[in-house]
Amino acid sequence: MSTPLTLTPGRRSDGAVVLTAVGEIDMSNAATFSTALTGAGRDAEGAGFVVDLTGVQYIDSAGLAALFPHVDQLRLVSNDLIAPVLTIAGLDDITTVRS
């Protein structure tokens, strides 16, 4: 059974590609998350993209692992709940993480 996760691709008014995640990211849906990240990277055409995690209440190691292949392209927007997890994983050292 998959944990509820909604992934919404889009673009900001400045043209930047954004992938918005809402729910929980864990091993049951990490492959879907990874596929969405790959699609966002493709849509961004090398310009980088934003992953909005402000609506995510939980992310486990499978969800974090899905982010690492894309760190050269992505910028993360986090909430106060999962920001410490991103920091402990070291993502703030290799890509932009902001609240």
Side-chain angles (χ1 to χ4, degrees):
M1 182 169 197
S2 182
T3 303
L5 175 65
T6 303
L7 299 166
T8 307
R11 287 191 183 266
R12 294 190 312 208
S13 60
D14 64 1
V17 172
V18 178
L19 176 64
T20 302
V22 176
E24 297 183 0
I25 305 170
D26 62 20
M27 63 184 274
S28 72
N29 56 28
T32 302
F33 182 51
S34 180
T35 300
L37 290 167
T38 299
R42 189 175 32 251
D43 291 346
E45 299 174 350
F49 61 98
V50 175
V51 180
D52 183 346
L53 300 174
T54 56
V56 173
Q57 295 87 32
Y58 175 81
I59 186 167
D60 73 2
S61 60
L64 293 170
L67 291 168
F68 278 94
H70 306 280
V71 294
D72 291 340
Q73 279 190 284
L74 62 78
R75 295 177 307 280
L76 298 170
V77 179
S78 177
N79 59 40
D80 292 339
L81 183 63
I82 65 167
V85 176
L86 301 175
T87 299
I88 290 169
L91 283 162
D92 64 332
D93 290 333
I94 55 178
T95 192
T96 303
V97 178
R98 61 186 174 123
S99 297

